């Protein structure tokens, strides 16, 4: 039986398989999202199943020649990251996005790194942040979404307007079209911006945020608390606009769970 080299991995999803096994969806740097059978995992609850938990860094060996691999030896690659409160649902949301959107078997080391960074940031939170404090949850989540969309080739350039054939200008308003990216628009005085209209200044902050690669995800570059809140609203709106056609009409289970518990979107 063919054996793949050991890989760092996180478990994104698991479901029962036959009487004693599990089918796992893993995220790895070299193979991206990959499915495998964990034989006997449901029977061996004291050891193997306890190790196969979400948000825990693992080192896995996969066996087999077919698309559905068999899980071989599993080692812990570090301390599990215990997420709390709202951070749990943020982690489940990220897992569901990866399962739904990431092609199986394609190498995405940058997505793996973005996911690791997200979990590290979420693990620092109490999980009960609200209001202005809620930004510490929103910033890493939006950053992860943008990195994922960029890896999928679905994130338009945030600092360049193809129709204008020039850089995004902070003082202008831009309208997003999925086919052509951001195009400058002139809004008459008193006109209400559309849902796909964005401030050039916000787009430039998001672009800097996307490529900052620091622990704060570019948050410090957003200025005052009020300005940060505006950028966060724009980031959430942008991500949802791009994600909607990729996800289709089937709702996200993690989002529905979050609404049931916290009554928020």
């Amino acid at each position: 039986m063919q054996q793949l080299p050991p890989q760092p991995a996180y478990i994104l999803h698991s479901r029962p398989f036959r009487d004693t096994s599990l089918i796992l969806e893993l995220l790895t740097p070299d193979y991206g999202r990959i499915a495998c059978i964990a034989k006997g995992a449901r029977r061996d609850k004291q050891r193997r199943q306890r190790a196969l938990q979400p948000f825990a860094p693992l080192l896995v060996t996969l066996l087999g020649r077919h698309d559905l691999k068999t899980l071989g030896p599993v080692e812990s690659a570090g301390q599990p990251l215990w997420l709390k409160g709202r951070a749990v649902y943020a982690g489940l949301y990220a897992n569901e996005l990866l399962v739904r959107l990431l092609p199986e078997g394609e190498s995405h080391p940058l997505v793996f790194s973005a996911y690791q960074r997200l979990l590290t940031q979420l693990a620092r939170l109490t999980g009960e942040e609200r209001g202005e404090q809620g930004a510490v949850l929103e910033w890493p989540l939006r950053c992860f979404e943008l990195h994922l969309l960029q890896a999928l080739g679905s994130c338009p350039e945030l600092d360049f307007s193809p129709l204008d054939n020039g850089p995004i200008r902070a003082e202008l308003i831009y309208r997003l079209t999925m086919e052509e990216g951001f195009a400058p628009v002139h809004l008459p005085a008193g006109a209400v911006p559309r849902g796909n209209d964005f401030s050039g200044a916000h787009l430039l902050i998001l672009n800097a945020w996307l490529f900052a690669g620091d622990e704060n995800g570019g948050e410090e570059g957003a200025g005052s608390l009020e300005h940060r809140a505006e950028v966060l609203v724009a980031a959430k709106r942008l991500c949802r606009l791009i994600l909607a056609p990729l996800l289709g009409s089937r709702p996200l289970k993690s989002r529905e769970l979050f609404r049931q518990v916290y009554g928020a979107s």
Side-chain angles (χ1 to χ4, degrees), residues 244-263:
L246 299 177
L247 292 169
S249 59
R250 183 158 57 98
L252 290 164
K253 294 180 180 178
S254 54
R255 189 177 288 167
E256 293 300 317
L257 283 172
F258 184 82
R259 285 174 179 158
Q260 291 172 19
V261 176
Y262 293 102

Side-chain angles (χ1 to χ4, degrees), residues 160-197:
F160 185 80
S161 172
L163 289 182
D164 207 26
N165 196 30
I168 296 288
R169 294 167 56 186
E171 69 274 15
L172 298 183
I173 299 295
Y174 291 85
R175 183 161 294 160
L176 173 66
T177 64
M178 297 306 171
E179 299 80 13
E180 299 174 324
F182 290 102
V185 294
H186 173 71
L187 297 180
V192 178
R194 297 182 184 179
N196 59 339
D197 289 346

Side-chain angles (χ1 to χ4, degrees), residues 218-233:
E219 180 178 356
E220 294 179 354
S224 67
L225 287 175
E226 183 179 358
H227 196 194
R228 291 183 196 179
E230 293 174 358
V231 177
L232 272 176
V233 170

Side-chain angles (χ1 to χ4, degrees), residues 24-225:
L24 306 177
E25 294 275 359
L26 305 178
L27 177 66
T28 68
D30 289 349
Y31 307 112
R33 180 176 66 86
I34 190 167
C36 67
I37 300 174
K39 293 185 176 179
R42 296 169 64 199
R43 181 179 61 240
D44 191 4
K45 293 185 179 180
Q46 292 300 315
R47 184 174 60 86
R48 192 167 174 84
Q49 189 172 357
R50 185 181 298 174
L52 302 177
Q53 298 298 319
F55 315 132
L58 303 172
L59 188 67
V60 303
T61 299
L62 299 175
L63 311 172
R65 297 181 179 276
H66 303 291
D67 290 340
L68 185 60
K69 307 296 184 185
T70 297
L71 183 66
V74 178
E75 300 177 22
S76 171
Q79 290 294 324
L81 296 171
W82 301 109
L83 308 187
K84 301 175 286 294
R86 294 169 182 250
V88 174
Y89 296 93
L92 293 175
Y93 169 75
N95 285 1
E96 190 170 9
L97 282 185
L98 290 167
V99 170
R100 293 272 295 268
L101 300 180
L102 203 62
E104 190 168 4
E106 292 186 10
S107 175
H108 282 289
L110 295 181
V111 172
F112 187 85
S113 297
Y115 181 76
Q116 283 185 310
R117 187 162 54 250
L118 172 66
L119 293 186
T120 300
Q121 292 167 330
L122 293 178
R124 296 174 182 158
L125 307 181
T126 66
E128 299 305 323
E129 291 81 3
R130 301 167 186 264
E132 289 182 353
Q133 289 182 330
V136 298
L137 178 67
E138 293 280 342
W139 275 104
L141 199 54
R142 299 289 87 80
C143 192
F144 172 76
E145 287 175 330
L146 288 171
H147 276 109
L148 175 59
L149 290 169
Q150 186 184 52
L152 295 172
S154 299
C155 184
E157 291 184 275
L158 301 175
D159 62 346
F160 185 80
S161 172
L163 289 182
D164 207 26
N165 196 30
I168 296 288
R169 294 167 56 186
E171 69 274 15
L172 298 183
I173 299 295
Y174 291 85
R175 183 161 294 160
L176 173 66
T177 64
M178 297 306 171
E179 299 80 13
E180 299 174 324
F182 290 102
V185 294
H186 173 71
L187 297 180
V192 178
R194 297 182 184 179
N196 59 339
D197 289 346
F198 294 87
S199 157
H202 291 169
L203 293 176
L204 291 175
I205 290 173
L206 291 178
N207 186 70
W209 176 24
L210 186 61
F211 291 101
D214 59 24
E215 287 296 309
N216 294 317
E219 180 178 356
E220 294 179 354
S224 67
L225 287 175

